[in-house]
Amino acid sequence: MKHPFVLSCFQDWNRTWQTHNPDLTPCFQNTVLVWIPCLLLWLFAPFYILYLKRNDRGYICMTHLNRAKTVIGFTLWLICWADVFYSFWERSLGATIAPVYLVSPTMLGVTMLLATFLIQYERRKGVQSSGVMLNFWLIAIVLLFGLSFQPASVNVFKYTTFYIYYTMLLISLILACLSDQPPLFSQAVKDSNPCPELGASFLSRITFWWITGLMVTGYKRPLEEKDLWSLNTEDKSQRVVPQLVRRWDQESRGEKKDGQPIEESEILLAKTLQKTGEPSLFCALCQTFGPYFLVSSLYKIIHDILMFVGPEILRLLIQFVNDSSAPTWHGYFYTTLLFVCTCVQTLILQKYFHVCFVTGMRLRTAIVGAVYRKALVITNAARRTSTVGEIVNLMSVDAQRFMDLITYINMIWSAPLQVILALYFLWQNLGPSVLAGVAVMVLMVPVNAVIAMKTKTYQVAQMKSKDNRIKLMNEVLNGIKVLKLYAWELAFKDKVSAIRESELRVLKKTAYLGAVSTFTWVCAPFLVALSTFAVYVLMDEHNILDAQKAFVSLALFNILRFPLNMLPMVISSMVQASVSMKRLRVFLSHEELDEDNVERPAITACDASLCLFRINVRIPEGALVAVVGHVGSGKSSLLSALLGEMQKQEGSVSIKGSVAYVPQQAWIQNTTLKDNILFGRDAKDSWYQKVVEACALLPDLEILPGGDLTEIGEKGVNLSGGQKQRVSVARAIYCNCAVYLLDDPLSAVDAHVGKHIFEKVIGPQGLLQGRTRVLVTHGLSFLPQADLILVMVDGEITEMGSYTELLGRQGAFAEFLHTYTNTEQEEVEESVGEVIDISMDMEKHEACRKVCVIRSDVEYIFSSKEAVPRKGLENGGPVKLSVFWEYTKAIGLPLSIFSFFLFFCHHLSSLGSNYWLSLWTDDPVINNTQPNREMRLGVYGALGLTQGIAVFCYSVAVSVGGILASRYLHQTMLYNVLRSPMSFFERTPSGNLVNRFAKETDTIDSVIPSIIKMFMGSMFNVLGSCAVILIATPLVAIIIPPLGLLYFFVQRFYVASSRQLKRLESVSRSPVYTHFNETLLGTSVIRAFGEQQRFIRESDGRVDHNQKAYFPSIVANRWLAVRLEFVGNCIVAFAALFAVMARDSLSPGIMGLSISYALQVTTSLNWLVRMSSELETNIVAVERVKEYGDTEKEAEWRLEHSTLPAGWPTTGHIEIRNFGLRYREDLELAISDISVNIEGGEKVGIVGRTGAGKSSLTLGFFRIIEAAQGEICVDAVNIAELGLHELRSRITIIPQDPVLFSGSLRMNLDPFDGYTDEEVWRALELAHLKNFVSGLPDKLNHECSEGGENLSLGQRQLVCLARALLRKTKILVLDEATAAVDLQTDNLIQSTIRTQFEDCTVLTIAHRLNTIMDYTRVLVLDKGQMAEFDSPSNLTAKKGIFYKMAKDSGLV
């Protein structure tokens, strides 16, 4: 006979579910509830042990925590055995004991032993906190909770053991929540500020509690660099990059995965199978990051399934309200289930994002590292195929695209899964009428796709306009001085504005498209619901729309919305990433330099044919070899060949010993001057001093603000050309190598400095004596001292020998000497006597002026008092309300209020339509039909239509408002910047200004309006949801305020840290690119010195430093999401709970409405915080654009009531009375007390040593700097009383450096189109450019490139002359070009000026005295004061300063 107990084991549901006091059968309690945790643990244990074996983190010593866990494990085992023995003992007494009482405790006991074993095994493998064990204890406790004792059969012994057992389980659970100490020798022990993630407990990790410490710090004070944790070892460059590089090498070499080379026969077979020979970067990336990333897919599946629990529970809740006979505890059970499910869903989703973002971060690190390593080894030919900018883009843009894609890539399979599941549940709910709704959704997809395509084309057009605008802006800022001198600001303002207008037109089109897409995105769910319900109701009059059907369907439609909208985005993002992938693959597949191009015994080059032919040289050790030849004869190529920088076709090159190299264009790093010279070598003071002295750097060090610790700007901006070259030479000498390759290092320095360096460094008595030196040079004075001279013509060495031998041969060398001697001989003769100390002086002054500017630059950046205010970003405080007010004013108040009103209308009608739906579902059912369903449907549709119209209107209104605002802000900024005085441009880095016109303007154009739309949308959503829940269950009013406060606090807490982390991340990002940029420009130097590894380490360090700020910011986002979603989940739970409590007074419709709104509130809350912090971050752009309105401005360009006669100046009479000016308020006068009277038509030369104030005088004359004392009158009009443009447009200047702007040649001559073509041609003819211009295909419309780089320097100087000839005013100021122009062009200019400006007053600032010896008078300035003023002949007779200068120039 069967035991009766076993029969009742089949669960009796009536006893459990349908009662007001639920209970489980004893058999179920003793089997299922006990066995589930045991089976789960045994199931997972093998996999877990395997995982631990693979991921060994080190050994954790025994701690009290571990001892406690182990002891409790054994105690539990003992209790189980006690139970078993007790049962046996009862049996021996003759009691009938069911087998289950023996099986269950035995099973539990064995499982407890396994648990204890796992605890110890985890300790040995370095697991500080275990998720597996925590979950095991949790499940065991929850299931045991269901056990109950019938009072009749209470067994005291079992009762006692059960409670002891239960207590022990609870203690185990608590202990499992704690974290053990770190393993021995782990990273965390050595690190000063380790990342707390590794040591955090399991609970802390899934809720991201471990970042709270950093958030608290960020809330108390702005975060700084020292607060950031070190990166985890798995995320560091040194771990991540080599993995990818190794996999990529395997891919590209086609090796077998285990590294054995493939047999030849295999290759042939493989080729037939696989035609695509290109290595796949995708495979390499998958192998490197795939395994870790797969974890995220697992999380995603679980999350996707959990998403559908919400609507299902909603269905059950509505059913519960409808069924008044259901026991009350069902409602509470559903509510609890809903809460638990939403919380688990939150945790899993955030974990999923965390894995995605960390993968993205590693991916970026790996790509940046791989690109950097590749850039150091590609050949020059490959290097030329892409510009520096393009390669830097691979790092910044393309790596970023991968990061963005990684987060969404799972949507490719997850979106279809979600759609299928949603449709399945909808079909169950509403049957075939669902297809109507699906049809609407499917139709929306192509509409959105078309909009996306269109938007993309508009974006491309906008980017093009933007690039043109920024390019022009860049030129304007670089040539601002010329614009001011010519009074051309307005012409260029109009040019910029014209481009800007075309940009805004495109923006407007994009805005309308955006409005359409917002319309579809907001109205799609409504249209879907409307079509489905309409078809459902009208298909059969017995189809009744009740609350359950309506609101469950709405919840499911809301789920459907996301995947359908995401798919097109993910696909376009994948397309972009595949383009990036291709670009990266092409770059990483470039040819690399062959290490064997150069062998390394002593220098010889035998038969190496490059673009060099038949070169055979053997250079003896310790010789000084000079290489000479005309431009383009292959001198530099010879050095490149010796360095192995060129592809060797045949022959061999070998070099013995280490090599140092000085390139033709000095390559300077953005570090201190000392680091530039040391170049990674150890500092040896005495040797360093010798080197600095030999390179004539001591006088420069005295001038620089920080001596040799002065920070040198990018590309050496704060050094003069000569200084850069000397630093470059010093670097080579300091390295103390055996072979020196010097590529014309002396051309950039002054003659006497060159001589000094040759004697002290390169020559037979210099520091490098006894080393092998190969010197490319144009300086003939050094040749007699060379041991061997190589003469190159067209890539061949035509002659070699010593100086005397070659002179005797009368070959190419003698001809070369002849060409260069004439010009150089004069210079060398002149510059021997006193010139040396003058030039030293000049260098000092030049440098001093540069340093002044740089120094003020540095002050400008660091002193907070006088600098342009840079609020919002640096001081980390919250943004002021006044900024929002400024923006509102820029949009226009009426439009702002109207937009707000439209928002309100939209949300009101949206609420109305859903409320109407709930009333409809509550309609009474008569004869299986709802009577007035047509009326209900009609009103529902009408409300939907209102909603659509409001959406469309507000979207257009906000976008148009944004465009109006950005037009206004850009125009005012442009005007304000152009109105700023020169001093402003000298101390504001042009990068900052360009940034305002590029990045900040772009933010105002496209980012802010869309953020405002989303912010308003989510704000109204949250308010609407709260309102509905309050109407349905007023009791929620007790809960909403505390939750609201919590929400607000979390949000403020997050924004404070997040803003600062964003800032730290962006501040640390630019050094990565700067360093990369620098490396690309100096690869040949880095390779020559063999410093590749040091630079790779430096680059890795900078990337890690950047990721150090990026990692906390992604974790902070997860931290925020977990907490906000928890607030949202609480709202859902309370809405459900209070609905259950008030079930008697609630209609099912209102309850459905309330809970379906509650289910949406989480996403809206999330968005609201995201958007409010985005808004705060981005609105700063408005503030930064506005700040130039408050800086100082020049005088007015044109005066209102000008009394200036039309032809002024008529005679050109200039009277300067007691004139003086200063550069800044706090400096003394640069020139003072100058009084001169110049008659109309006189030719006056202005001379003086460097720094005497010659240029300052012209600046004063054009009012670039306003007078500090005295006045200048032209034709009896005081120039200080004129508008700046009136003054500057009536005087002509030919400036020292010829600046041209990109645009047509005609625009460069006459930007206002004020002259006819004949006049322009006439000017060109007089400027000797007519033949050149008429030979161009486009004649006057010839496009000049940026800075006029497609014209030679001489031609540019002649274009400036043509400008002057075109204007032909009575006064001409000629700021003579120093070394820019060859003698021929100079003579042309001088003769033209003599003939064409015969009757004009000409002021010439002369550097070469021979040009002004025939002038009427000469003004000599000295130390900012007038020293002499008379005719040249009289001054020479006086034997004063002028006589001395003329003697130096060999004119007397």
Side-chain angles (χ1 to χ4, degrees), residues 937-1181:
L937 193 59
V939 173
Y940 187 58
L943 282 166
L945 189 68
T946 324
Q947 192 180 332
I949 295 167
V951 169
F952 186 74
C953 295
Y954 83 62
S955 193
V956 172
V958 171
S959 304
V960 170
I963 290 170
L964 291 176
S966 63
R967 172 185 288 141
Y968 167 75
L969 290 167
H970 180 268
Q971 279 305 81
T972 36
M973 171 165 68
L974 181 60
Y975 182 70
N976 283 331
V977 167
L978 289 176
R979 279 280 320 279
S980 301
M982 261 327 282
S983 55
F984 168 79
F985 295 98
E986 277 162 5
R987 56 157 198 250
T988 309
S990 68
N992 281 8
L993 286 167
V994 171
N995 201 6
R996 296 289 188 275
F997 280 100
K999 188 154 179 307
E1000 314 296 359
T1001 305
D1002 189 50
T1003 305
I1004 294 172
D1005 282 351
S1006 41
V1007 182
I1008 294 184
S1010 67
I1011 285 183
I1012 286 181
K1013 271 194 283 198
M1014 291 200 249
F1015 173 73
M1016 298 291 283
S1018 34
M1019 187 175 76
F1020 275 114
N1021 271 341
V1022 171
L1023 293 177
S1025 303
C1026 289
V1028 169
I1029 298 170
L1030 278 171
I1031 292 168
T1033 47
L1035 270 176
V1036 178
I1038 310 165
I1039 296 301
I1040 284 186
L1043 283 179
L1045 272 174
L1046 175 67
Y1047 172 77
F1048 180 73
F1049 179 68
V1050 163
Q1051 192 250 7
R1052 294 311 319 156
F1053 211 69
Y1054 160 79
V1055 170
S1057 307
S1058 149
R1059 191 189 308 120
Q1060 211 54 14
L1061 284 170
K1062 256 202 185 105
R1063 204 193 119 233
L1064 287 172
E1065 197 265 335
S1066 65
V1067 166
S1068 64
R1069 191 185 312 146
S1070 26
V1072 176
Y1073 304 142
T1074 325
H1075 180 246
F1076 185 47
N1077 228 329
E1078 212 169 65
T1079 307
L1080 284 173
L1081 295 171
T1083 39
S1084 51
V1085 180
I1086 296 170
R1087 287 197 285 249
F1089 284 98
E1091 288 286 322
Q1092 294 96 318
Q1093 283 312 312
R1094 179 166 73 84
F1095 273 81
I1096 286 176
R1097 279 198 304 278
E1098 167 71 13
S1099 170
D1100 284 354
R1102 289 184 180 209
V1103 173
D1104 286 349
H1105 188 72
N1106 178 22
Q1107 302 289 36
K1108 221 165 88 171
Y1110 176 71
F1111 181 68
S1113 73
I1114 55 179
V1115 180
N1117 278 339
R1118 306 282 67 83
W1119 179 92
L1120 172 77
V1122 168
R1123 275 138 197 77
L1124 287 191
E1125 290 200 5
F1126 180 72
V1127 172
N1129 296 342
C1130 286
I1131 293 179
V1132 175
F1134 281 116
L1137 180 70
F1138 290 136
V1140 168
M1141 283 160 68
R1143 67 189 278 205
D1144 304 326
S1145 58
L1146 266 194
S1147 71
I1150 292 286
M1151 179 175 182
L1153 182 71
S1154 155
I1155 293 174
S1156 61
Y1157 263 102
L1159 284 172
Q1160 286 178 53
V1161 86
T1162 317
T1163 19
S1164 302
L1165 282 177
N1166 241 327
W1167 264 112
L1168 189 58
V1169 168
R1170 287 282 140 78
M1171 286 304 120
S1172 57
S1173 67
E1174 284 283 300
L1175 192 58
E1176 271 193 41
T1177 317
N1178 286 302
I1179 201 85
V1180 174

Side-chain angles (χ1 to χ4, degrees), residues 64 77 140 177 360 375 400 425 696 864 1083 1154 1196 1237 1324 1360:
H64 290 310
W77 174 69
C177 294
Q400 191 62 43
F425 285 115
S864 54
T1083 39
S1154 155
E1196 286 299 324
N1237 194 3
L1324 286 173
C1360 291

